[in-house]
Amino acid sequence: NMRLASHNKTRVAYFHDEGVGNYHYGERHPMKPHRLTLTNHLVLNYGLHKKMEIFQPRRATDNEILEFHAPDYVDFLKRVTPDNAEEFEQVFQRFNVGDDCPIFDGIYDFCQRYAGASIEASRKLIAGGADICINWSGGLHHAKKSEASGFCFVNDIVLGTLELLRYFPRVLYVDIDIHHGDGVQEAFYSTDRVMTVSFHKYNGDFFPGTGHLDEIGTSLGKYYSLNVPLRDGIDDDAYIWLFKEVMDGVMATYQPSAIVLQCGADSLGCDRLGCFNLSIEAHGRCVQIMKDYKIPMMVVGGGGYTVRNVARCWTYETSILVDQELSNDLPPNEYIDFFKPDYQLHPHLSGRVENQNDRQYLLKVRERAMEQLRYLDA
Ligand code: TV7
Ligand code: CA
Ligand code: ZN
């Protein structure tokens, strides 16, 4: 890529919406948009803003959201509120609204904000205005064309990728959230212009239940969906090894012109919903590996339910993307109490869950991935 070859410093654009952290899914709900405010505070207090261009993104318009989502579903999201919810109860099932995806104040505004940031990020990459664009509020990979799912209402990744496809011939989607990236896989299941790769916990039962090795795509998209199912408790060394093996193979065969990286932080150890054993350093190593391919890249957030560790993780990953080393001592900031008792960027997160991924299993998964890539090459 000439654009990257002619500079040696990576140009990073950071999209943060000042209001996006103020929405509430509900008291007991594990998804906490406040983690975005907390992340942004750490990023600023570490001084990382000096190394990037900062943008207050525009909200996505109805028409932009309609590029993927169905008109009746968008209309519903626009009109429903906690106060008038009873008028809409008959369509709750159809649109999969309920405990996981509750109706809360400003729900459509929230969607417009996180989706607008991913769309703007895509446009910035297309314009050549940045090598890497970051939107930690995005990454809501479960939303379907006509249906909410798994805390996701609008699929900003699909919308951002559709925008990238206006210019880039081939887009690679990589997903390290502990959940399967089903909404993105489904949206691009029959095209060879997007290859989707998800690493996730899979046992036939864990949400959303998809992501089996045999889900490989269909028609023109056959072999262009790659799934890496993992068991509980995977550790740093195994994950990084498998990630590097698989991604080196994917990059060599698919040769994407742009990358979208979903960095769900629920694959960290000690996550409230997750059951992997990754350290923040290992999670960040995956980001570094993708950055080192030097292809225009959009980086988005996703899951992450132990709020203090989400903020740590995405701050650390911002620092990797801008090539700035950070002190392990967190800078003083108004939210410092969240980071008790150690006040460190890299607390110990591992050791809570037994590793169920033995050597034989990991080798089998790698072998299956490599086999699929050979078909894709032919
Ligand atoms: C991208 N797990 C999203 C991941 C979405 C996971 C689920 C919950 C959950 C929801 C709550 C809640 C919860 C402690 C955890 C089969 C069900 C079981 C709802 C109670 N506490 C991402 C979605 C997953 C809601 N859903 O990939 C309100 O856990 O397993 C399920 C489905 C039916 C619905 N019930 C859970 O990370 C952003 N939900 C407490 C209050
Ligand atoms: Ca995943
Ligand atoms: Zn998740």
Side-chain angles (χ1 to χ4, degrees):
N1 182 307
M2 283 307 291
R3 246 168 27 200
L4 282 169
S6 54
H7 302 254
N8 40 30
K9 267 277 168 260
T10 323
R11 294 163 308 146
V12 180
Y14 177 85
F15 295 80
H16 176 74
D17 182 294
E18 278 302 329
V20 77
N22 296 333
Y23 296 87
H24 298 274
Y25 277 66
E27 204 60 64
R28 292 176 41 257
H29 200 288
M31 178 56 104
K32 306 285 184 199
H34 179 67
R35 66 207 178 115
L36 302 166
T37 306
L38 203 56
T39 302
N40 189 55
H41 268 267
L42 276 191
V43 164
L44 298 183
N45 282 291
Y46 265 121
L48 294 174
H49 56 290
K50 295 175 205 152
K51 294 244 172 166
M52 335 183 258
E53 237 191 305
I54 311 285
F55 294 94
Q56 161 73 47
R58 207 175 35 76
R59 287 181 210 186
T61 65
D62 297 348
N63 282 333
E64 286 169 341
I65 291 175
L66 288 164
E67 288 286 319
F68 175 56
H69 293 284
D72 59 340
Y73 177 54
V74 173
D75 196 55
F76 164 76
L77 288 178
K78 277 179 74 169
R79 289 163 58 181
V80 72
T81 68
D83 288 337
N84 69 16
E86 60 271 31
E87 297 167 40
F88 290 92
E89 250 161 42
Q90 69 281 5
V91 294
F92 273 25
Q93 276 212 5
R94 174 151 64 104
F95 297 133
N96 195 30
V97 160
D99 288 334
D100 272 354
C101 304
I103 300 303
F104 55 86
D105 269 321
I107 185 168
Y108 190 64
D109 241 45
F110 175 65
C111 294
Q112 288 181 295
R113 288 178 197 255
Y114 74 75
S118 288
I119 294 167
E120 293 270 273
S122 293
R123 296 199 178 136
K124 177 67 74 182
L125 291 175
I126 290 174
D131 306 312
I132 295 174
C133 290
I134 303 174
N135 170 23
W136 294 126
S137 71
L140 300 196
H141 56 180
H142 298 304
K144 310 286 157 48
K145 178 183 162 97
S146 300
E147 206 179 283
S149 174
F151 318 159
C152 309
F153 298 92
V154 157
N155 199 316
D156 64 289
I157 302 167
V158 172
L159 295 171
T161 301
L162 287 171
E163 195 66 32
L164 290 172
L165 289 173
R166 291 170 182 250
Y167 176 82
F168 294 106
R170 285 181 307 286
V171 176
L172 171 66
Y173 173 65
V174 182
D175 184 318
I176 60 171
D177 190 290
I178 195 170
H179 298 97
H180 178 231
D182 60 344
V184 185
Q185 173 176 296
E186 184 180 301
F188 300 113
Y189 209 55
S190 59
T191 179
D192 56 3
R193 289 193 61 202
V194 178
M195 176 159 189
T196 60
V197 182
S198 177
F199 296 76
H200 45 265
K201 172 178 161 115
Y202 183 86
N203 64 2
D205 184 45
F206 190 66
F207 187 87
T210 50
H212 191 276
L213 274 166
D214 293 340
E215 296 169 24
I216 61 171
T218 183
S219 130
L220 276 183
K222 191 169 179 190
Y223 308 121
Y224 292 88
S225 289
L226 183 58
N227 284 297
V228 184
L230 301 166
R231 310 298 188 217
D232 283 5
I234 191 163
D235 61 21
D236 287 359
D237 289 349
Y239 197 95
I240 293 170
W241 171 78
L242 191 58
F243 186 84
K244 176 88 172 123
E245 290 282 310
V246 170
M247 294 321 304
D248 277 351
V250 166
M251 292 302 294
T253 49
Y254 190 59
Q255 300 183 1
S257 27
I259 297 170
V260 178
L261 175 61
Q262 197 267 22
C263 297
D266 47 8
S267 42
L268 294 174
C270 295
D271 185 79
R272 182 174 160 194
L273 298 189
C275 47
F276 284 175
N277 240 333
L278 299 185
S279 65
I280 290 170
E281 195 182 356
H283 202 275
R285 186 82 191 99
C286 298
V287 175
Q288 179 77 57
I289 288 168
M290 295 314 297
K291 176 180 189 247
D292 288 344
Y293 294 121
K294 298 193 186 300
I295 304 289
M297 179 161 75
M298 161 148 77
V299 178
V300 295
Y305 305 100
T306 301
V307 165
R308 58 185 184 279
N309 293 334
V310 179
R312 285 171 162 127
C313 182
W314 292 345
T315 300
Y316 176 59
E317 290 173 347
T318 305
S319 82
I320 288 172
L321 294 169
V322 302
D323 288 308
Q324 170 75 60
E325 272 194 46
L326 298 183
S327 159
N328 192 26
D329 298 323
L330 293 173
N333 68 89
E334 62 181 291
Y335 292 109
I336 193 75
D337 286 351
F338 276 85
F339 305 101
K340 279 195 301 218
D342 49 277
Y343 306 105
Q344 308 252 294
L345 184 60
H346 295 282
H348 294 288
L349 302 180
S350 67
R352 208 176 49 133
V353 184
E354 194 194 339
N355 189 355
Q356 310 272 23
N357 303 267
D358 57 34
R359 198 177 161 71
Q360 186 193 337
Y361 179 75
L362 293 165
L363 287 168
K364 184 198 86 173
V365 171
R366 179 192 59 166
E367 203 38 52
R368 283 288 302 268
M370 295 306 151
E371 194 182 312
Q372 186 180 328
L373 291 174
R374 283 197 291 274
Y375 280 106
L376 185 150
D377 217 7

